Amino acid sequence: MTLLSVRNLAVDYATKGGTLHAVSRGTLEVGAGEVVGLVGESGCGKTTLARALTGVVPRNATFKGGEVVFEGKDLLAGPPAAWKDLLWRRISFVPQSSMNALDPVYRVGTQMEEVLRLRGGLGREAARNRTAELFGLVGLDAKRSVEYPHQFSGGMRQRAAIAMALALEPSLVIADEPVTALDVIVQRQVLDTLRDLQSRLGVSVLLVTHDISVVAYVCDRVVVMYAGEVVESGKVGDVLAAPRHPYTMGLTNAFPDLERAGGTLAPIMGAPPDLRSPPTGCRFAERCPFAVARCRSESPPLTVAADGHASACWRSDEAAALAETARDPATWTPTSASAA
Ligand SMILES: Nc1ncnc2c1ncn2[C@@H]1O[C@H](COP(=O)(O)OP(=O)(O)O)[C@@H](O)[C@H]1O
Ligand code: SF4
Ligand SMILES: [Mg+2]
């Protein structure tokens, strides 16, 4: 069952240098009880899209169109108050830095109790009990609830931020780069906890990350973003084993496996386009080793195949052959990339 369905969501920022089109094709689905990864390199609009789904955006941001259908209702078309009402109760958010979720001057347990009392209307005693329960749920020792955030390790702070997001039993948790600041061992422990929570509580998770190995480790489905647009989505096994968009092919070559670090890595050369004046054709054309003339003049639509695997590339039909070529690191060297 689909919990969240986002179609062509567009979000602009007003900046001194002009309007920046941070998200222009935000299209994704999250099913009940699914862990969905939202992946793409830094600056491609992941945080903007993820935050927009909570209805709370920076002051200089504007929704420019699209649909955000959650539990059957289009939140973007409805009154803002109705969307706001869902925050923390039905949809919760773990910000990019766990320190942003925790106030350094209050004990961690006290903060959690405050959240439960203010947002959930719990009494003092009930909030204290629920805090102990939440600590246990994310693998923290409840005795440490009297400590301050700086006394927690990075992994513990991240667990506390996740516990805070789970406080009011939401059906969707959006976690923005929840393990990025952690070392690999702790990353795995926190991801294992997230996965475990998903299966025990049935909560859906939209996990934002720039690291495709995190997606491979923990997600059911993946949504790949490039320069403000979703360019590919599907089941993790399908997308990683047989990517249909050259950007995804490049991403899978650019990261070590979370299980076995090392190996030959081939970064995608060049940089994403300026989102104040994105190109009219395919936004990846400047960096794509497979670009043809049409790619530079016409933007490829996101097309969903019968198996649910979606991609936005004029050469999708040749994806298997292109993926084979893309596995060779030489494909991504400056001399072979079309940007060179
Ligand atoms: N508050 C803001 N005002 C103006 N531009 C912003 C703001 N936040 C992000 N951006 C710009 O929007 C684009 C997308 O950023 P972001 O959503 O943070 O991407 P990601 O999370 O993938 O790194 C980037 O070009 C970034 O510089
Ligand atoms: S549309 Fe063209 S430039 Fe864009 S990803 Fe496909 S082949 Fe590359
Ligand atoms: Mg981000």
Side-chain angles (χ1 to χ4, degrees):
M1 203 186 71
T2 305
L3 180 69
L4 172 76
S5 170
V6 185
R7 290 269 163 273
N8 293 321
L9 186 67
V11 180
D12 283 355
Y13 289 116
T15 74
K16 279 195 189 125
T19 303
L20 190 147
H21 310 287
V23 174
S24 34
R25 183 171 60 209
T27 296
L28 60 89
E29 287 195 354
V30 180
E34 251 188 344
V35 180
V36 177
L38 179 60
V39 69
E41 69 204 296
S42 179
C44 70
K46 305 181 299 296
T47 295
T48 304
L49 174 54
R51 264 203 178 281
L53 303 179
T54 67
V56 180
V57 292
R59 245 195 261 211
N60 61 334
T62 318
F63 286 101
K64 296 306 283 189
E67 282 179 3
V68 179
V69 179
F70 179 74
E71 293 178 335
K73 287 196 196 77
D74 184 357
L75 304 179
L76 200 53
W83 200 345
K84 205 172 162 196
D85 211 44
L86 296 176
L87 187 59
W88 306 119
R89 293 168 203 285
R90 309 296 299 146
I91 303 176
S92 67
F93 191 76
V94 181
Q96 191 149 347
S97 159
S98 58
M99 281 317 266
N100 292 341
L102 300 169
D103 189 326
V105 301
Y106 294 104
R107 297 174 200 275
V108 177
T110 308
Q111 296 184 49
M112 224 173 277
E113 286 172 31
E114 280 300 299
V115 165
L116 288 160
R117 296 181 63 198
L118 291 175
R119 296 178 192 153
L122 268 65
R124 198 177 288 274
E125 186 67 28
R128 195 170 302 141
N129 293 338
R130 175 78 176 137
T131 295
E133 195 179 297
L134 286 165
F135 262 65
L137 203 59
V138 296
L140 288 171
D141 180 354
K143 287 198 210 80
R144 300 196 64 171
S145 66
V146 295
E147 293 181 10
Y148 291 89
H150 74 266
Q151 293 172 285
F152 276 30
S153 67
M156 289 171 68
R157 281 200 292 268
Q158 201 56 56
R159 285 173 191 276
I162 293 167
M164 209 99 101
L166 290 170
L168 304 185
E169 301 181 22
S171 51
L172 174 66
V173 173
I174 300 169
D176 194 1
E177 306 268 8
V179 296
T180 298
L182 309 173
D183 68 55
V184 176
I185 307 277
V186 184
Q187 277 193 14
R188 286 183 57 163
Q189 291 166 351
V190 171
L191 292 172
D192 288 343
T193 301
L194 261 180
R195 187 81 243 190
D196 175 57
L197 287 167
Q198 182 282 322
S199 65
R200 279 197 292 155
L201 307 177
V203 65
S204 302
V205 180
L206 180 65
L207 194 154
V208 179
T209 177
H210 65 283
D211 184 344
I212 200 135
S213 55
V214 165
V215 169
Y217 187 66
V218 79
C219 296
D220 302 306
R221 282 195 314 109
V222 58
V223 176
V224 183
M225 248 185 126
Y226 183 74
E229 297 181 330
V230 168
V231 295
E232 181 158 6
S233 63
K235 289 189 197 122
V236 165
D238 294 349
V239 172
L240 299 190
R244 292 193 187 152
H245 194 284
Y247 179 60
T248 315
M249 298 171 193
L251 271 189
T252 55
N253 283 346
F255 279 95
D257 198 300
L258 204 62
E259 303 278 333
R260 35 177 192 91
T264 313
L265 298 181
I268 306 172
M269 304 303 284
D274 183 345
L275 293 176
R276 283 167 302 189
S277 52
T280 44
C282 173
R283 293 185 177 183
F284 190 53
E286 281 304 308
R287 301 168 80 188
C288 181
F290 308 117
V292 291
R294 184 185 195 186
C295 304
R296 295 183 194 277
S297 56
E298 285 177 73
S299 173
L302 187 67
T303 310
V304 190
D307 58 0
H309 189 156
S311 66
C313 171
W314 290 124
R315 301 188 66 185
S316 280
D317 291 351
E318 305 162 68
L322 300 186
E324 185 61 38
T325 311
R327 270 193 278 277
D328 178 359
T331 307
W332 300 93
T333 58
T335 44
S336 59
S338 61

